[in-house]
Every structure is written in C-alpha cells, then in structure tokens.
Amino acid sequence: MLHDLGAMAWTDVGSPILVVPVGSCEQHGPHLPLHTDTVVASALARWLAARRGDCVVAPALTITASGEHQGFAGTLSIGNAAMADLVIELVRSADWSQGVVFVNGHGGNATAMARAGDTLTQEPRRTLVWWPSMPGGDPHAGHVETSLMLALAPDEVRLDRAVAGPVPAPAELVRAGVQPLSPSGVLGDPTRASVEEGRRLFDELAEQLLAAVARWVDQ
C-alpha cells in the first residue's frame, strides 16, 4: 500500500505526518472479534492517508490498556503506565516525521494517552491525539461498533449471537469494570446495528478526523 510505513524502504519515507492507529485486543461481546477497535482505527487512518498526500500509516498498536475487560478470555492488556511509556517513546523515535497523529479506537486508553500527551507537550513534540465523537452512541460492542464492523469487516460479525447489555454510568464502569456489569461484555444494543448505519458513522468519523488534522497542521 502506498501509505503503509511498514511496506516502505527507509529511503522512500521522507518527512510525512505519521498516523498511528490505536486499537486493542479485548472482548467485544459474543458477536464481534477481539480486534474490533484496531479494525476501526486502522480503516480511519488509511482513509486519512489516502485523502491527504502527506501521511503514512504506522503499524497499529494492537495490545494496549484494556484492564476494564479483565476476566474475559482473549483480552490482553499492558496497563496505563506501559501504554503511556510506549506512546512517548514512539513519538520520540519519530523525529524524522512532521508530527504524529494518534487515531484512537479504544476509549480505555484515555488515561494513558492523556499522560503521554502531557509529557510530549512539555518536551515539546508535535502530536495530535484524536478521539472520535459520537454523541448518543453506546459504550462498547453495541450498535455503534457493530454497525461499523458490518461496514468494514462483515465476515467477522456474528449477528446471530448479538445480545443487548446495560449502559452503565461512566463512574460505575470505572469502579467495577465490565464483567460484573455485563457478563456478555456488551454495553449497549448491537441488535439495532446495520451496514447502512455503519457506513454513515464511518463517513462522519472520517470527516471529523480529516478536519481535526487540517486544524492541527495549520496551527
């Protein structure tokens, strides 16, 4: 792929904006794959790079901070401290770039990304930490993520297994973690998901990302 950093020779890289998809390896209910966050973040990063001529996409961060999903088989987590250190060192190593854009697909990384962002701002390093905005969306493995996966990777979605789960208050989720609140791992209602909604949501998020990067570049 033209914008795929891992497929390039170093002599072809130059000084682009480095776009880093930030995903996870964590449970997404009985109907979605463990790498759902990575699929979504990577698709958005590739879309951005194809739309702009000054970006390359780094290999995705696929095992990040997912401690809130402890107890579900398949979930892997490196914790907030290690995640923050990873992000800091990654950006420090990318001084050859114009700057680094993190495309976040996993809300559980918020603490680590904030810690890393504070350090990188003080150094200073040119970094944009981007988060999707979906007012009214459900928290995890619900209609939002299921719709996105139906649009991006339909063969990996098992709608016949989809079940609705609770939508707890954020403070309760932080305190208890997911498993005590939802044995299925679902927070929301995936049974309402559709390909059409997934395409609409992806287009909305992609435009959000494009606009955020444009503003950042112009600063």
Side-chain angles (χ1 to χ4, degrees), residues 19-99:
V19 183
V20 183
V22 184
S24 70
C25 181
E26 66 184 31
Q27 71 82 21
H28 276 77
H31 64 292
L32 291 178
L34 293 160
H35 69 168
T36 289
D37 293 339
T38 305
V39 170
V40 175
S42 296
L44 287 165
R46 290 193 299 269
W47 183 94
L48 176 67
R51 191 70 177 265
R52 296 182 59 98
D54 56 355
C55 298
V56 297
V57 179
L61 304 184
T62 59
I63 300 174
T64 57
S66 297
E68 69 274 22
H69 297 282
Q70 183 177 354
F72 290 97
T75 294
L76 299 174
S77 176
I78 61 173
N80 287 320
M83 180 62 185
D85 286 345
L86 185 157
V87 169
I88 291 165
E89 294 303 328
L90 187 156
V91 174
R92 287 173 176 168
S93 75
D95 275 347
W96 45 265
S97 71
Q98 294 180 41

Side-chain angles (χ1 to χ4, degrees), residues 27-202:
Q27 71 82 21
H28 276 77
H31 64 292
L32 291 178
L34 293 160
H35 69 168
T36 289
D37 293 339
T38 305
V39 170
V40 175
S42 296
L44 287 165
R46 290 193 299 269
W47 183 94
L48 176 67
R51 191 70 177 265
R52 296 182 59 98
D54 56 355
C55 298
V56 297
V57 179
L61 304 184
T62 59
I63 300 174
T64 57
S66 297
E68 69 274 22
H69 297 282
Q70 183 177 354
F72 290 97
T75 294
L76 299 174
S77 176
I78 61 173
N80 287 320
M83 180 62 185
D85 286 345
L86 185 157
V87 169
I88 291 165
E89 294 303 328
L90 187 156
V91 174
R92 287 173 176 168
S93 75
D95 275 347
W96 45 265
S97 71
Q98 294 180 41
V100 182
V101 174
F102 289 96
V103 178
N104 284 285
H106 171 45
N109 286 320
T111 297
M113 297 303 295
R115 289 180 188 173
D118 288 345
T119 298
L120 295 166
T121 298
Q122 292 169 13
E123 290 197 354
R125 307 276 177 171
R126 188 154 170 73
T127 308
L128 172 64
V129 177
W130 178 83
W131 296 95
S133 175
M134 289 177 287
D138 44 14
H140 187 75
H143 82 271
V144 170
E145 287 188 312
T146 304
S147 293
L148 284 166
M149 287 297 286
L150 283 171
L152 296 172
D155 291 345
E156 299 186 18
V157 180
R158 301 176 181 181
L159 271 184
D160 59 311
R161 297 184 178 183
V163 294
V167 180
E172 186 180 12
L173 182 58
V174 170
R175 177 187 58 80
V178 174
Q179 194 172 51
L181 303 175
S182 175
S184 71
V186 176
L187 304 174
D189 188 1
T191 64
R192 301 189 292 115
S194 69
V195 175
E196 293 75 21
E197 178 70 355
R199 290 171 181 160
R200 185 192 69 77
L201 288 167
F202 183 85

